[in-house]
Amino acid sequence: PGSLGTVFQTIDNNYYCPNWSITGYCARTNLPSNTSMRGPGWINAVYFMEYVMEHVAKTLNADVTSIKQLNFYKENQVTPYGQKLVYYNIPTMWETVKLSSDYDNRVKDVNAYNSSNKWTKRGISLVNVKFGIGWQGAQYGVLLNVYEDGTVNVTHSGTEIGQGIDTKVAQVVAYELGIGLDQIVVFQTSTVAQPNTNATGGSITSGLNSLAAINACQILQEKLKPVRAQLPPNSSWVQVVSTAIAQNIDLQSKGWVNPPASPYGPWLYNSYVVACSEVLLDVLTGEIQNLRTDILFDCGKSLNPAIDIGQVEGAFMQGVGLHTIEEVKVDMSDGHLISNGTWEYKPPSSQDIPIDFRVTLLKNAPNPVGVLSSKASGEPPLAAGCSVSLAARHAIDAAREDIGTTTFFTMGSPATAEAIQSNCLVSCS
């Protein structure tokens, strides 16, 4: 039910339609239950809508990028679920990626290649993603302890799982207190220091723990104000701390955040992604190679560009796995899972990474409602992985056209080598 509810608030992606009518149903099946690894409901909804746009373009015999662009939202329009789209960057980002990726010229090159090659084909696809970030109901805390040597011990309520939360929180504390990053020590998350907080997830934990850290720093700075007033203006952090301790001032503070409802709708803001991928297809085997991917990600004013670019790259590759190779196989006779190991279930490896991988963060786009003008970077790029499977679809179209077949064909996700080869309609005779 949770995933289905998310579908209702994401299925529009970036396309305006004045007469949406959506009905969702939960079904009981005889298969084992599954759980979402990331982006529940939303990643499926984005792929569904991009697939619809492909179908519309094929039916109209029109360029799919033009069809998408004609249907983009405009700034301040309202979605079917009541979200007002303020600070809407997709139209600008779309044009930027078309230019930076040399999309129009590469389409010509792809068409020329396909007309000259029968057993290998190329395809190129441009996709866009809107990912809503909601803070309502979340609660996180940060505990600061300051020691006589000036060291600041930080205990936040998130779990470091590779998303860089420790680094971001430490940077925020250093920034707020005006001290060096080498004076910050992040301790392991503990319910002793931070009880009753939310789980790490939803791409909000780094941002909201950073906000809690700001609150904790502000409380600490208020305690230190009388001390600073007694000291020369250029006094060091260690001098301020030592004086405060000598005056029996408690140098512990706790920040806590529990954000209110968004004034714009179910989401406080959206993170936006535009991605362009080009693939090479072996018609006989159905195998594809990702030649190049260009991604432009709206991260607001990034708290740490190196971390956020890494988050974009990782999430994108997870999406590539979902949409191309990670097939869940079930024995239909008794419902047991067949793909229960890497012999049958293939996550992405080094060979699945684009040969030419270009990731850029949108410049001069601060987020007015974000933490220090930033935006979340964890999950939003995940859905852009469908650009690879849709590029493969375009390559399949080229193979089918060689034998006179131009009708739209159905191919779900993941677009495995078997599915691709089958849809190329290669005859053994």
Side-chain angles (χ1 to χ4, degrees), residues 63-65 97-108 124-126 276 394:
D63 173 47
V64 66
T65 57
V97 172
K98 283 187 70 176
L99 184 64
S100 64
S101 67
D102 197 23
Y103 177 79
D104 290 336
N105 287 328
R106 287 170 63 196
V107 168
K108 295 176 183 177
I124 188 168
S125 177
L126 193 61
C276 176
H394 297 167

Side-chain angles (χ1 to χ4, degrees), residues 261-334:
S262 165
Y264 307 114
W267 312 118
L268 180 62
Y269 66 84
N270 290 298
S271 290
Y272 299 107
V273 190
V274 174
C276 176
S277 292
E278 181 180 349
V279 303
L280 176 67
L281 162 65
D282 185 322
V283 175
L284 293 177
T285 65
E287 293 187 357
I288 58 172
Q289 186 173 41
N290 192 347
L291 301 178
R292 174 176 167 179
T293 290
D294 299 71
I295 300 176
L296 178 61
F297 180 58
D298 174 13
C299 201
K301 187 176 181 180
S302 172
L303 293 177
N304 186 308
I307 288 176
D308 288 330
I309 287 175
Q311 287 292 287
V312 173
E313 293 171 337
F316 174 79
M317 286 310 303
Q318 285 183 328
V320 170
L322 173 69
H323 287 297
T324 60
I325 54 177
E326 296 183 51
E327 184 178 18
V328 177
K329 299 177 182 178
V330 176
D331 187 326
M332 299 306 293
S333 65
D334 59 9

Side-chain angles (χ1 to χ4, degrees), residues 39-60:
W42 157 78
I43 186 172
N44 314 84
V46 170
Y47 175 73
F48 177 85
M49 185 47 60
E50 291 299 288
Y51 194 94
V52 167
M53 301 306 284
E54 294 282 341
H55 199 168
V56 169
K58 189 70 174 179
T59 302
L60 297 177

Side-chain angles (χ1 to χ4, degrees), residues 119 284 421 425-429:
W119 300 115
L284 293 177
Q421 196 271 350
L425 304 179
V426 177
S427 174
C428 296
S429 59

Side-chain angles (χ1 to χ4, degrees), residues 17 22 39 92 98 114 129 148 165 181 207 209 214 232 251 273 280 311 342 348 356 364 383 385 393 396 407:
C17 179
I22 307 170
T92 301
K98 283 187 70 176
N114 290 340
V129 177
E148 192 168 3
I165 186 173
L181 195 58
N209 275 277
I214 292 172
L251 295 185
V273 190
L280 176 67
Q311 287 292 287
T342 54
D356 187 349
N364 303 318
R393 164 177 282 277
I396 296 169
T407 55

